[in-house]
Amino acid sequence: MKTVKESLLDRTSVRRYEREAIPEETMQFIYKAVENTPTSYNGQQFSVIDIDDQQLKEQLYELTNQKQLKTCNRLLIFLSDYNKISLLAKKKGLKMPEFTNTMDGVTIGIIDASLAMMSAVVAAQAAGLGSNCVGYLRTVDPARLAEMLKLPKGVFVVCGLALGVPREQPDLKPKQPSSLVFHRNHYRQDDAKMVEELEAYDDIVKHYNATRSGGTTDNDWVGHIIEYYDHAMHYRILQYLKDQGYDIQH
Protein backbone atom coordinates (compact mmCIF):
# COMPACT_ATOMS: atom_id res chain seq x y z
CA MET A 1 0.00 0.00 0.00
CA LYS A 2 1.39 3.41 -0.97
CA THR A 3 1.67 6.25 1.54
CA VAL A 4 -0.76 9.18 1.53
CA LYS A 5 2.04 11.39 0.19
CA GLU A 6 2.78 9.01 -2.69
CA SER A 7 -0.91 8.56 -3.48
CA LEU A 8 -1.57 12.28 -3.71
CA LEU A 9 1.68 13.76 -5.07
CA ASP A 10 2.66 11.04 -7.56
CA ARG A 11 -0.79 10.65 -9.13
CA THR A 12 -0.96 10.66 -12.92
CA SER A 13 -3.80 9.94 -15.36
CA VAL A 14 -3.37 6.38 -16.68
CA ARG A 15 -5.13 5.43 -19.93
CA ARG A 16 -3.48 2.06 -20.70
CA TYR A 17 -4.15 -0.97 -18.50
CA GLU A 18 -3.12 -4.59 -18.17
CA ARG A 19 -5.73 -7.31 -18.69
CA GLU A 20 -5.27 -8.31 -15.07
CA ALA A 21 -8.40 -8.15 -12.93
CA ILE A 22 -8.59 -5.91 -9.87
CA PRO A 23 -8.76 -8.06 -6.71
CA GLU A 24 -12.16 -7.92 -5.02
CA GLU A 25 -10.59 -6.86 -1.72
CA THR A 26 -9.11 -3.84 -3.50
CA MET A 27 -12.51 -2.90 -4.92
CA GLN A 28 -14.03 -3.24 -1.44
CA PHE A 29 -11.34 -0.89 -0.11
CA ILE A 30 -12.28 1.64 -2.80
CA TYR A 31 -15.98 1.17 -1.99
CA LYS A 32 -15.35 1.88 1.70
CA ALA A 33 -13.33 5.00 0.87
CA VAL A 34 -16.19 6.24 -1.33
CA GLU A 35 -18.80 5.44 1.30
CA ASN A 36 -16.86 7.48 3.88
CA THR A 37 -16.78 10.60 1.69
CA PRO A 38 -17.81 13.86 3.43
CA THR A 39 -21.04 15.22 1.90
CA SER A 40 -23.33 18.21 2.32
CA TYR A 41 -25.59 17.75 5.39
CA ASN A 42 -24.48 14.08 5.38
CA GLY A 43 -27.20 13.85 2.74
CA GLN A 44 -24.92 11.69 0.57
CA GLN A 45 -26.41 13.12 -2.62
CA PHE A 46 -24.50 10.77 -4.89
CA SER A 47 -24.40 7.19 -6.15
CA VAL A 48 -21.90 5.15 -8.17
CA ILE A 49 -22.46 2.67 -10.99
CA ASP A 50 -19.66 0.09 -11.07
CA ILE A 51 -19.36 -1.31 -14.60
CA ASP A 52 -17.54 -4.58 -15.20
CA ASP A 53 -19.64 -5.67 -18.19
CA GLN A 54 -17.23 -5.63 -21.15
CA GLN A 55 -19.98 -5.22 -23.72
CA LEU A 56 -21.31 -2.13 -21.94
CA LYS A 57 -17.80 -0.69 -21.63
CA GLU A 58 -17.31 -1.16 -25.37
CA GLN A 59 -20.64 0.56 -26.07
CA LEU A 60 -19.47 3.50 -23.98
CA TYR A 61 -16.20 3.51 -25.93
CA GLU A 62 -18.16 3.66 -29.20
CA LEU A 63 -20.12 6.60 -27.80
CA THR A 64 -17.06 8.57 -26.63
CA ASN A 65 -14.05 7.22 -28.55
CA GLN A 66 -12.23 7.15 -25.19
CA LYS A 67 -10.19 3.92 -25.39
CA GLN A 68 -9.63 3.70 -21.64
CA LEU A 69 -13.34 3.00 -21.17
CA LYS A 70 -13.07 -0.38 -22.87
CA THR A 71 -9.57 -1.35 -21.70
CA CYS A 72 -10.02 -0.56 -18.00
CA ASN A 73 -10.98 -3.40 -15.69
CA ARG A 74 -13.65 -1.41 -13.85
CA LEU A 75 -15.44 1.78 -14.77
CA LEU A 76 -17.07 3.77 -11.98
CA ILE A 77 -19.74 6.29 -12.99
CA PHE A 78 -20.32 8.94 -10.32
CA LEU A 79 -23.83 10.37 -10.19
CA SER A 80 -25.64 13.25 -8.54
CA ASP A 81 -28.56 11.47 -6.90
CA TYR A 82 -31.72 12.83 -5.26
CA ASN A 83 -33.77 9.77 -6.21
CA LYS A 84 -32.89 7.82 -3.07
CA ILE A 85 -34.00 10.46 -0.58
CA SER A 86 -37.11 11.18 -2.66
CA LEU A 87 -38.14 7.53 -2.48
CA LEU A 88 -37.84 7.38 1.30
CA ALA A 89 -39.53 10.76 1.77
CA LYS A 90 -42.49 9.51 -0.27
CA LYS A 91 -42.65 6.29 1.76
CA LYS A 92 -42.71 8.26 5.03
CA GLY A 93 -45.22 10.82 3.76
CA LEU A 94 -42.74 13.70 3.80
CA LYS A 95 -43.02 16.52 1.29
CA MET A 96 -39.85 16.65 -0.79
CA PRO A 97 -39.01 20.30 -1.59
CA GLU A 98 -38.13 21.14 -5.20
CA PHE A 99 -34.46 21.34 -4.26
CA THR A 100 -33.41 19.97 -7.66
CA ASN A 101 -34.91 23.12 -9.20
CA THR A 102 -32.26 25.29 -7.50
CA MET A 103 -28.64 25.91 -8.47
CA ASP A 104 -27.66 25.03 -4.90
CA GLY A 105 -29.32 21.62 -5.26
CA VAL A 106 -27.52 20.96 -8.53
CA THR A 107 -24.22 22.17 -7.11
CA ILE A 108 -24.46 20.05 -3.97
CA GLY A 109 -25.04 16.87 -5.98
CA ILE A 110 -22.05 17.65 -8.20
CA ILE A 111 -19.83 18.44 -5.21
CA ASP A 112 -20.80 15.25 -3.38
CA ALA A 113 -20.20 13.08 -6.45
CA SER A 114 -16.88 14.81 -7.14
CA LEU A 115 -15.66 14.35 -3.58
CA ALA A 116 -16.66 10.68 -3.78
CA MET A 117 -14.69 10.29 -7.00
CA MET A 118 -11.60 11.83 -5.43
CA SER A 119 -11.93 9.38 -2.53
CA ALA A 120 -11.90 6.59 -5.11
CA VAL A 121 -8.90 8.08 -6.93
CA VAL A 122 -6.81 8.27 -3.76
CA ALA A 123 -7.81 4.77 -2.65
CA ALA A 124 -7.01 3.37 -6.10
CA GLN A 125 -3.62 5.11 -6.15
CA ALA A 126 -2.83 3.81 -2.67
CA ALA A 127 -3.64 0.27 -3.84
CA GLY A 128 -1.27 0.58 -6.81
CA LEU A 129 -3.95 0.96 -9.48
CA GLY A 130 -4.03 3.42 -12.36
CA SER A 131 -7.01 5.71 -12.81
CA ASN A 132 -8.38 8.22 -15.28
CA CYS A 133 -11.23 10.68 -14.73
CA VAL A 134 -13.44 10.85 -17.85
CA GLY A 135 -15.53 14.02 -17.85
CA TYR A 136 -16.59 13.50 -21.48
CA LEU A 137 -19.10 10.90 -20.28
CA ARG A 138 -21.07 13.80 -18.79
CA THR A 139 -21.34 15.74 -22.03
CA VAL A 140 -20.95 13.46 -25.07
CA ASP A 141 -24.62 12.40 -25.27
CA PRO A 142 -26.29 12.86 -21.87
CA ALA A 143 -29.72 11.57 -22.89
CA ARG A 144 -28.29 8.43 -24.50
CA LEU A 145 -26.09 7.75 -21.48
CA ALA A 146 -29.03 8.18 -19.10
CA GLU A 147 -30.91 5.62 -21.17
CA MET A 148 -27.99 3.16 -21.24
CA LEU A 149 -27.52 3.41 -17.47
CA LYS A 150 -31.28 3.41 -16.73
CA LEU A 151 -31.07 6.61 -14.68
CA PRO A 152 -34.28 7.64 -12.91
CA LYS A 153 -35.43 11.24 -12.45
CA GLY A 154 -33.29 13.13 -9.98
CA VAL A 155 -30.08 11.43 -11.14
CA PHE A 156 -27.45 12.55 -13.66
CA VAL A 157 -23.86 11.68 -14.56
CA VAL A 158 -21.12 13.86 -13.08
CA CYS A 159 -17.98 11.98 -14.16
CA GLY A 160 -16.54 8.56 -14.94
CA LEU A 161 -13.46 6.95 -13.42
CA ALA A 162 -11.55 4.22 -15.28
CA LEU A 163 -9.60 1.84 -13.05
CA GLY A 164 -7.08 -0.89 -13.78
CA VAL A 165 -3.61 -2.28 -13.27
CA PRO A 166 -1.43 0.31 -15.06
CA ARG A 167 0.44 -0.59 -18.24
CA GLU A 168 2.11 2.83 -18.38
CA GLN A 169 3.57 5.40 -16.04
CA PRO A 170 2.95 8.81 -17.61
CA ASP A 171 5.11 11.79 -16.77
CA LEU A 172 3.81 13.97 -13.96
CA LYS A 173 2.06 16.99 -15.47
CA PRO A 174 3.16 20.42 -14.25
CA LYS A 175 0.50 22.19 -12.21
CA GLN A 176 0.11 25.86 -11.37
CA PRO A 177 2.48 27.02 -8.60
CA SER A 178 1.22 27.66 -5.08
CA SER A 179 1.33 31.42 -5.65
CA LEU A 180 -1.44 31.07 -8.27
CA VAL A 181 -3.51 28.49 -6.39
CA PHE A 182 -3.49 29.83 -2.84
CA HIS A 183 -4.63 33.32 -1.87
CA ARG A 184 -4.19 34.67 1.66
CA ASN A 185 -7.26 36.17 3.37
CA HIS A 186 -8.58 37.63 0.08
CA TYR A 187 -8.13 37.17 -3.67
CA ARG A 188 -4.91 38.58 -5.05
CA GLN A 189 -5.07 42.16 -6.29
CA ASP A 190 -1.87 42.20 -8.39
CA ASP A 191 -3.19 41.25 -11.84
CA ALA A 192 -0.02 42.24 -13.67
CA LYS A 193 2.12 40.00 -11.47
CA MET A 194 -0.40 37.18 -11.82
CA VAL A 195 -0.21 37.46 -15.60
CA GLU A 196 3.60 37.18 -15.44
CA GLU A 197 3.31 34.01 -13.36
CA LEU A 198 0.60 32.61 -15.65
CA GLU A 199 2.79 33.27 -18.70
CA ALA A 200 5.67 31.45 -17.04
CA TYR A 201 3.38 28.50 -16.26
CA ASP A 202 2.08 28.55 -19.84
CA ASP A 203 5.67 28.19 -21.09
CA ILE A 204 6.31 25.30 -18.67
CA VAL A 205 3.26 23.44 -19.96
CA LYS A 206 4.29 24.04 -23.57
CA HIS A 207 7.77 22.64 -22.86
CA TYR A 208 6.27 19.63 -21.06
CA ASN A 209 3.96 18.85 -23.98
CA ALA A 210 6.86 19.13 -26.43
CA THR A 211 9.15 16.80 -24.46
CA ARG A 212 6.92 14.35 -22.57
CA SER A 213 7.07 10.61 -23.13
CA GLY A 214 4.25 8.80 -24.93
CA GLY A 215 3.56 11.42 -27.61
CA THR A 216 4.29 15.12 -27.91
CA THR A 217 2.29 18.17 -29.00
CA ASP A 218 2.86 21.89 -29.44
CA ASN A 219 -0.01 22.79 -27.09
CA ASP A 220 0.40 25.54 -24.55
CA TRP A 221 -1.92 25.80 -21.52
CA VAL A 222 -4.21 28.76 -22.12
CA GLY A 223 -4.90 28.22 -25.82
CA HIS A 224 -5.51 24.51 -25.37
CA ILE A 225 -7.97 25.01 -22.50
CA ILE A 226 -9.83 27.75 -24.37
CA GLU A 227 -10.27 25.30 -27.25
CA TYR A 228 -12.03 23.00 -24.78
CA TYR A 229 -14.23 25.89 -23.64
CA ASP A 230 -15.12 26.72 -27.25
CA HIS A 231 -16.10 23.10 -27.89
CA ALA A 232 -18.15 23.00 -24.68
CA MET A 233 -20.23 25.97 -25.86
CA HIS A 234 -22.13 23.48 -28.03
CA TYR A 235 -23.22 21.26 -25.14
CA ARG A 236 -26.89 21.42 -24.14
CA ILE A 237 -26.65 20.33 -20.52
CA LEU A 238 -29.48 22.53 -19.23
CA GLN A 239 -32.09 20.73 -21.33
CA TYR A 240 -30.69 17.36 -20.27
CA LEU A 241 -30.93 18.35 -16.61
CA LYS A 242 -34.56 19.35 -17.15
CA ASP A 243 -35.22 15.95 -18.71
CA GLN A 244 -33.73 14.34 -15.59
CA GLY A 245 -35.98 16.36 -13.28
CA TYR A 246 -33.75 19.36 -12.56
CA ASP A 247 -35.78 22.40 -13.68
CA ILE A 248 -33.47 25.12 -12.37
CA GLN A 249 -35.33 28.26 -11.32
CA HIS A 250 -32.93 30.06 -8.99
Side-chain angles (χ1 to χ4, degrees), residues 74-232:
R74 303 288 273 269
L75 176 62
L76 304 183
I77 309 291
F78 289 82
L79 312 166
S80 171
D81 187 351
Y82 287 96
N83 178 61
K84 293 182 291 187
I85 195 166
S86 297
L87 288 173
L88 184 56
K90 182 178 180 180
K91 178 66 165 57
K92 298 188 72 171
L94 300 174
K95 179 177 172 54
M96 180 71 180
E98 295 182 340
F99 194 43
T100 53
N101 292 350
T102 69
M103 271 305 301
D104 192 40
V106 174
T107 302
I108 282 173
I110 292 172
I111 291 172
D112 284 1
S114 301
L115 288 171
M117 184 174 68
M118 195 60 206
S119 295
V121 168
V122 175
Q125 290 292 134
L129 298 179
S131 66
N132 179 236
C133 302
V134 188
Y136 195 38
L137 279 168
R138 181 187 73 254
T139 56
V140 60
D141 190 342
R144 173 64 179 139
L145 192 57
E147 179 184 4
M148 293 171 69
L149 300 179
K150 299 180 169 51
L151 302 185
K153 298 293 185 183
V155 179
F156 68 87
V157 171
V158 174
C159 200
L161 179 66
L163 297 174
V165 176
R167 185 182 287 184
E168 63 178 359
Q169 186 55 56
D171 296 336
L172 195 65
K173 288 183 179 179
K175 303 295 185 179
Q176 291 179 11
S178 296
S179 61
L180 288 171
V181 176
F182 296 96
H183 304 248
R184 182 69 60 86
N185 296 322
H186 55 76
Y187 200 92
R188 287 178 59 175
Q189 303 297 296
D190 53 342
D191 285 2
K193 178 62 175 173
M194 282 184 68
V195 169
E196 287 182 16
E197 294 174 22
L198 287 164
E199 286 179 322
Y201 173 68
D202 200 51
D203 289 339
I204 289 171
V205 172
K206 187 167 185 177
H207 179 264
Y208 164 82
N209 286 329
T211 58
R212 67 185 183 184
S213 61
T216 60
T217 73
D218 61 357
N219 292 332
D220 60 2
W221 175 70
V222 64
H224 189 52
I225 299 304
I226 285 177
E227 284 182 8
Y228 281 125
Y229 294 167
D230 283 335
H231 182 72

Side-chain angles (χ1 to χ4, degrees), residues 27-66:
M27 287 306 305
Q28 288 303 315
F29 169 60
I30 294 171
Y31 274 21
K32 290 299 182 183
V34 169
E35 291 166 12
N36 197 39
T37 296
T39 62
S40 298
Y41 320 123
N42 194 35
Q44 301 158 77
Q45 289 90 187
F46 77 93
S47 287
V48 186
I49 297 178
D50 180 1
I51 298 176
D52 61 2
D53 183 303
Q54 188 60 33
Q55 183 177 2
L56 179 54
K57 287 191 291 179
E58 291 184 7
Q59 289 172 351
L60 293 172
Y61 161 69
E62 292 171 2
L63 187 67
T64 63
N65 200 34
Q66 300 285 306

Side-chain angles (χ1 to χ4, degrees), residues 230-241:
D230 283 335
H231 182 72
M233 295 298 291
H234 302 289
Y235 299 151
R236 294 295 179 263
I237 303 301
L238 184 59
Q239 184 57 54
Y240 163 64
L241 289 177

